Amino acid sequence: MKFLHISDLHIGKRVNEFSMIPDQKYILKQISDIAVSESVDAVLIAGDIYDKPVPSAEAVQIFDRFLTGLADFGKKVFAVSGNHDSPERIAFGAQLMSGRGVHVSPVYEGEAACRILSDAYGEIGVYLLPFIKPAIVRHALEGEPECPVPESYQDAVKLAVDRMEIDGTRRNILIAHQFVTGAGRCDSEEAAVGGLDNVDGSVFDRFDYVALGHIHSPQSVGRECVRYCGTPLKYSFSEAEQEKSVTIVELREKGQIQLSTVPLRPLHDMRKIRGAYLEVMSKSFYQDTDTEDYVQITLTDEEDIPDGLQRLRTVYPNLMRLTYDNSRTRQDQDVDVAEMVEQKSELELFGEFYELQNNQPMSGEQHNFVKKMIENLAGGGYEA
Ligand SMILES: [Mn+2]
């Protein structure tokens, strides 16, 4: 049986104030096409379907169309809620939708839902574990006699897995949205302070494949079959160098599992550009590139470009972020100030302030300009 594993769609997300809706529509269509061309039997969605617990009407519509499209193609869907989702809202209509082969995680009340599939090699158990934290499990198991009280994420997930009745003779898949120790993070995720949300990969030892969400870069953790498929789109510039993909999982007889990836081609790529203003604005620099991409431009000019953002956007309309790399922004130098302030002239004080801000002294021209300005302000009576 063949599965397509995706996660962290974050439908409705805004990146640097740009709506990702058109990009998300585009990529979900591509994912549906891959599900068809790869002839997968089911799509696994490992949480963070939406970006917010109360998603926008548009975001809900996009996901509705995606699910309906997959169901129309005869693809089963298994989805769990992530930390960005409301587990109750994701669970809405779960029973009704399961009739069409769309299985979403119910709210965690002590049992994770399990669906049994079968193919020529026998049965496959698919377990849906919504994002859980210690408090959720504590609350769900409150009042159960002799039940250990989970204090950490590790305890919580281990307890949830221990409570699953897993038949080790058949093949088993878990869909979960947690942070497994050792996974490499990036900027668009929400990290718990101090790594409190860590779960050791060994709690998943009984599963043949663990379809994980939460971490935005594609990677396996510990063993190959405990895997984060990554986001379908780049959601921060720390991901600019990544290639996003979906993971295809093929299960044959027990112990025979094959993983592969299919790259995703976004509507707009996200990339970083660096150079002097005149360089990045010259046609030879950008003519063979897609100037509609979401870009971060780092200018290396020593002087800030007035209205730089607006002027750069005439060539790069989707410029998301403008930064400078010059002596002003490089590490702060030690500039001696605040010594004998009263004995210094306005011009000297201004000069020190300028140096502190820009990591370089004023030029002769700037010096003269400021000198004249101070003289004018003081009506010429001051000795600058
Ligand atoms: Mn996420």
Side-chain angles (χ1 to χ4, degrees):
M1 194 164 283
K2 226 173 165 185
F3 298 89
L4 185 153
H5 169 196
I6 52 173
S7 78
D8 296 273
L9 313 179
H10 288 272
I11 304 173
K13 187 176 177 64
R14 298 179 75 83
V15 178
N16 296 310
E17 293 316 306
F18 281 69
S19 165
M20 291 289 114
I21 289 278
D23 304 81
Q24 291 171 330
K25 274 188 188 164
Y26 183 89
I27 215 70
L28 288 174
K29 165 80 173 68
Q30 200 170 109
I31 291 169
S32 300
D33 292 346
I34 294 171
V36 172
S37 64
E38 289 285 321
S39 310
V40 303
D41 298 285
V43 174
L44 313 175
I45 309 176
D48 282 357
I49 292 165
Y50 299 114
D51 195 50
K52 291 186 188 131
V54 184
S56 67
E58 207 176 14
V60 176
Q61 247 175 349
I62 289 172
F63 189 56
D64 178 61
R65 280 188 204 128
F66 179 59
L67 289 184
T68 309
L70 290 173
D72 286 346
F73 281 121
K75 310 297 175 194
K76 292 187 175 62
V77 177
F78 298 91
V80 304
S81 52
N83 56 311
H84 281 251
D85 299 310
S86 152
E88 292 81 3
R89 289 189 176 87
I90 294 297
F92 174 80
Q95 288 294 327
L96 291 173
M97 286 195 290
S98 65
R100 283 290 307 270
V102 175
H103 307 277
V104 294
S105 58
V107 175
Y108 189 76
E109 281 166 350
E111 307 297 333
C114 174
R115 305 279 164 186
I116 306 292
L117 305 173
S118 63
D119 63 6
Y121 303 105
E123 290 187 336
I124 300 176
V126 181
Y127 293 82
L128 293 102
L129 182 66
F131 171 74
I132 52 168
K133 39 187 170 186
I136 294 175
V137 179
R138 265 202 303 272
H139 180 72
L141 304 182
E142 219 165 45
E144 277 199 24
E146 286 168 51
C147 182
V149 178
E151 298 292 345
S152 62
Y153 275 76
Q154 167 77 18
D155 294 346
V157 175
K158 187 171 184 314
L159 198 57
V161 171
D162 285 349
R163 293 173 64 87
M164 295 173 187
E165 278 164 15
I166 304 168
D167 176 353
T169 62
R170 68 177 184 217
R171 295 157 294 165
N172 295 292
I173 291 178
L174 174 69
I175 311 172
H177 189 91
Q178 305 290 154
F179 178 44
V180 178
T181 312
R185 318 201 70 147
C186 53
D187 287 349
S188 56
E189 296 144 12
E190 228 159 67
V193 183
L196 288 173
D197 52 349
N198 276 29
V199 173
D200 193 275
S202 63
V203 302
F204 304 128
D205 279 352
R206 293 164 73 203
F207 294 96
D208 297 271
Y209 184 73
V210 183
L212 289 168
H214 197 38
I215 299 293
H216 290 182
S217 341
Q219 59 192 292
S220 291
V221 201
R223 64 187 165 107
E224 201 198 355
C225 291
V226 177
R227 183 169 170 82
Y228 289 103
C229 57
T231 47
L233 292 168
K234 298 173 186 177
Y235 286 141
S236 70
F237 282 103
S238 71
E239 295 155 71
E241 312 301 325
Q242 291 178 13
E243 183 181 61
K244 298 297 188 179
S245 58
V246 298
T247 299
I248 306 284
V249 188
E250 198 171 354
L251 294 181
R252 300 202 193 90
E253 65 257 60
K254 177 101 182 160
Q256 293 287 311
I257 178 163
Q258 204 175 343
L259 305 189
S260 58
T261 57
V262 178
L264 293 170
R265 302 279 167 242
L267 182 59
H268 301 101
D269 196 7
M270 188 180 269
R271 59 193 172 90
K272 295 179 183 174
I273 293 173
R274 183 189 164 84
Y277 176 76
L278 289 176
E279 193 184 342
V280 304
M281 290 295 274
S282 70
K283 199 158 185 217
S284 61
F285 184 89
Y286 63 75
Q287 64 186 358
D288 296 325
T289 71
D290 190 344
T291 52
E292 305 267 312
D293 285 346
Y294 295 126
V295 294
Q296 168 186 315
I297 298 181
T298 303
L299 292 180
T300 54
D301 305 78
E302 278 302 325
E303 304 271 325
D304 285 14
I305 306 298
D307 296 323
L309 203 67
Q310 282 69 28
R311 287 158 75 182
L312 287 162
R313 277 191 179 143
T314 60
V315 170
Y316 306 96
N318 294 321
L319 168 60
M320 281 183 161
R321 199 197 279 168
L322 170 61
T323 59
Y324 284 89
D325 181 13
N326 56 25
S327 14
R328 175 174 62 81
T329 59
R330 263 169 245 143
Q331 86 265 9
D332 280 334
Q333 295 171 7
D334 281 334
V335 182
D336 275 336
V337 279
E339 274 175 37
M340 299 181 294
V341 172
E342 290 96 57
Q343 291 157 41
K344 284 178 182 166
S345 68
E346 279 88 352
L347 183 60
E348 279 173 311
L349 287 169
F350 186 86
E352 285 174 359
F353 175 71
Y354 182 91
E355 202 167 335
L356 199 64
Q357 291 292 308
N358 299 285
N359 286 331
Q360 57 184 341
M362 287 190 286
S363 65
E365 195 187 341
Q366 288 168 325
H367 179 95
N368 291 336
F369 177 83
V370 176
K371 185 174 182 215
K372 208 175 268 170
M373 199 163 67
I374 291 173
E375 281 167 3
N376 285 343
L377 281 172
Y382 256 75
E383 198 195 320

